[in-house]
Amino acid sequence: MKLKGKVALVTGAASGIGRQAALALAREGAAVLATDVDESGGAQTLDSIRKAGGEALFRPHDVKSEEQWADAVATALEAFGRLDILVNNAGIGSGQLVTEMSLDSWNNLVAVNLTGVFLGCKHAIPAMRAGRAGGSIVNISSVAGLEGAAGLAGYCATKGGVRLFTKAVAKEYAADGIRCNSVHPGIIDTPIWTRIDEGGLAGTREQLGTPAGANAIAVDAIAMLAPLQRPGLPEEIANGIVFLASDDSSYMTGSELVIDGGMSA
Ligand code: NAP
């Protein structure tokens, strides 16, 4: 119970990495406010946490909305009395080659993946400071925030932005005892891949020589390039998130935790 007495807010908690992070944080004793735009998935996450004996609430929350961020942080404070941990996890994949990407798609990608992280920090940090016990912010970037990938230029731009934004926040709020680190998953087996437009993987498929068709073909082929030769599990990313959220990582801030089966090695 590494996180007993702590309160965590996890975005994108209705699915994939966010759901497993919410479950793992609750298992370690944190009270969790799970948020997402997907209310039915959020209800399932809540049910799983409660069945395992954890304490949690779910609130609908679009990370693009500043008003909804203010409400989410206020809910955490009202329900649980404090806020110690923020996991900025909600994110979407990108679907187009640069020359085929509409400005609307670009703007939406930036709004969810990058502006959402900014708004989360903007609203959670004052609550953490008010508690005078410091805090830990975990921003979910990607290996695509460390290296470019054909077909994922917009996504790479947002995730690279999250990487450096994290380092700047770490420097700005270290004096308040607030740590801020990024996590860089490789290819993880979650529904995000089924939501990416086929066109978004075209460049990657071309590089790998894999045929057009289901995204899963390209995803498995990319995962096989990692030394560990398999996609990662969302639970394996959740383990890293718990580590960064807890005092086990007390001397880490502004760091990048890469969990990618060796892909970027
Ligand atoms: P996922 O299974 O698709 O889960 C993402 C969740 O975020 C979904 O429930 C989604 O809801 C929600 N969401 C989307 N837009 C939102 C918004 N505007 N506000 C609030 N919630 C929103 O994806 P995942 O693989 O777990 O991804 C989690 C994070 O890890 C993302 O930041 C992703 O970029 C990052 N990541 C994933 C991988 C991977 O291979 N899976 C690799 C590197 C990094 P809807 O279903 O309704 O859209």
Side-chain angles (χ1 to χ4, degrees):
M1 299 288 266
K2 282 177 188 165
L3 300 173
K4 199 157 179 51
K6 304 277 187 193
V7 175
L9 195 167
V10 182
T11 68
S15 176
I17 294 169
R19 171 177 287 169
Q20 292 307 322
L23 275 156
L25 292 164
R27 213 178 293 126
E28 289 297 337
V32 176
L33 177 63
T35 77
D36 202 294
V37 287
D38 173 2
E39 296 192 36
S40 72
Q44 286 172 40
T45 300
L46 189 58
D47 192 45
S48 301
I49 292 175
R50 288 182 174 164
K51 276 189 178 141
E55 188 181 6
L57 280 177
F58 173 78
R59 286 289 181 276
H61 171 206
D62 183 337
V63 296
K64 302 192 297 294
S65 160
E66 179 152 26
E67 199 185 340
Q68 289 183 32
W69 263 112
D71 284 349
V73 170
T75 300
L77 295 177
E78 275 163 30
F80 302 125
R82 53 190 290 146
L83 182 62
D84 307 281
I85 297 157
L86 170 65
V87 183
N88 275 314
N89 164 79
I92 53 174
S94 73
Q96 296 96 22
L97 301 172
V98 172
T99 47
E100 289 161 18
M101 190 170 194
S102 70
L103 183 56
D104 281 350
S105 296
W106 170 273
N107 284 339
N108 189 49
L109 195 60
V110 171
V112 178
N113 289 5
L114 187 54
T115 308
V117 173
F118 152 67
L119 289 173
C121 292
K122 178 180 171 182
H123 286 271
I125 287 170
M128 289 176 176
R129 284 171 120 177
R132 297 179 180 278
S136 176
I137 300 171
V138 183
N139 293 331
I140 309 305
S141 177
S142 168
V143 284
L146 302 172
E147 310 172 345
L152 297 175
Y155 185 76
C156 290
T158 61
K159 294 300 185 179
V162 168
R163 171 178 172 268
L164 277 186
F165 178 77
T166 299
K167 293 179 191 300
V169 169
K171 289 186 173 179
E172 278 185 33
Y173 299 98
D176 294 299
I178 297 171
R179 300 183 295 110
C180 186
N181 295 286
S182 54
V183 174
H184 300 260
I187 307 299
I188 311 303
D189 187 6
T190 76
I192 201 171
W193 291 99
T194 61
R195 295 172 179 137
I196 295 178
D197 181 337
E198 267 289 296
L201 292 171
T204 309
R205 259 202 307 272
E206 210 168 284
Q207 280 181 341
L208 296 174
T210 52
N215 274 341
I217 295 172
V219 172
D220 284 347
I222 305 166
M224 288 303 286
L225 293 179
L228 294 185
Q229 295 199 324
R230 64 171 174 86
L233 299 173
E235 291 86 341
E236 292 173 307
I237 307 304
N239 289 340
I241 293 170
V242 168
F243 169 67
L244 290 175
S246 77
D247 287 344
D248 283 353
S249 59
S250 53
Y251 198 51
M252 286 176 73
T253 196
S255 293
E256 301 159 17
L257 183 57
V258 179
I259 310 177
D260 69 346
M263 178 169 265
S264 62

